[in-house]
Amino acid sequence: MTLRRIVAAAAAAPRPRVRRAPAPDPLRGDVFVALDFETANTSRDSACALAAVRVERGAVVDRAYALIRPPSPRFEFTYIHGITWAHVAAAPAFDAVWRQFAPLFAGADFLAAHNASFDRSVLRACCERYGLAMPATPFACTVKLARERWNLHPTKLPDVARHLGLPLKHHDAASDAEVCARIVLAARG
């Protein structure tokens, strides 16, 4: 069989379907956690800050924030979030921070993030680097929620916060996570 026929046969072969779990409905579920990561550089495992806000039955019940020492001292995004290597050099690595945050995530119906694909990818990369299990909890994206609920465009976090009258210190993980939680709550109410 020629290489051309092998390639043609491979292209014609049926591909297995990948079944993705449906995205969670952020308007349902009694417990969710809004989270936000800041990263030091373009490497997804370079988390340098994490914030999480836990919501139960429509009320914020807990908050957490931590600086994280990334695996490398290379900081490219200080101009965005203001965090430098000097701020995190003595901070715990991701695995220690994640153990501290674990109770906050326990029993959550979903995790919410603004541009959830970014935060999910940072969480996945950090878990992989430190040999931790990636949480099975599904993510809901507040960018998509704002577009669906209020037909907003653009839907960057400052735009949605302004639309809802929410105070925001953008690229401060604690403020970003808080606003993300408030977006879900506003969409519910």
Side-chain angles (χ1 to χ4, degrees), residues 108-122:
D109 297 311
F110 64 91
L111 306 178
H114 204 73
N115 189 14
S117 62
F118 171 78
D119 293 280
R120 183 185 315 117
S121 70
V122 172

Side-chain angles (χ1 to χ4, degrees), residues 66-86:
L67 290 174
I68 302 167
R69 186 183 68 250
S72 164
R74 184 174 53 99
F75 270 71
E76 298 173 22
F77 298 143
T78 297
Y79 73 97
I80 294 173
H81 49 56
I83 302 169
T84 67
W85 177 253

Side-chain angles (χ1 to χ4, degrees), residues 58-173:
V60 172
V61 296
D62 204 358
R63 293 174 180 84
Y65 172 82
L67 290 174
I68 302 167
R69 186 183 68 250
S72 164
R74 184 174 53 99
F75 270 71
E76 298 173 22
F77 298 143
T78 297
Y79 73 97
I80 294 173
H81 49 56
I83 302 169
T84 67
W85 177 253
H87 293 118
V88 300
F94 176 80
D95 56 343
V97 170
W98 190 244
R99 282 192 291 277
Q100 292 172 351
F101 274 62
L104 203 65
F105 290 86
D109 297 311
F110 64 91
L111 306 178
H114 204 73
N115 189 14
S117 62
F118 171 78
D119 293 280
R120 183 185 315 117
S121 70
V122 172
L123 180 56
R124 179 176 290 114
C126 289
C127 286
E128 286 174 4
R129 172 171 275 281
Y130 292 96
L132 302 171
M134 173 73 178
T137 311
F139 271 80
C141 182
T142 55
V143 169
K144 292 177 183 176
L145 179 61
R147 288 178 182 162
E148 292 168 1
R149 183 76 165 108
W150 301 292
N151 196 29
L152 286 180
H153 297 277
T155 48
K156 292 185 177 181
L157 193 57
D159 300 314
V160 181
R162 189 171 28 262
H163 175 78
L164 296 174
L166 300 171
L168 172 68
K169 183 179 176 190
H170 195 32
H171 295 298
D172 173 285

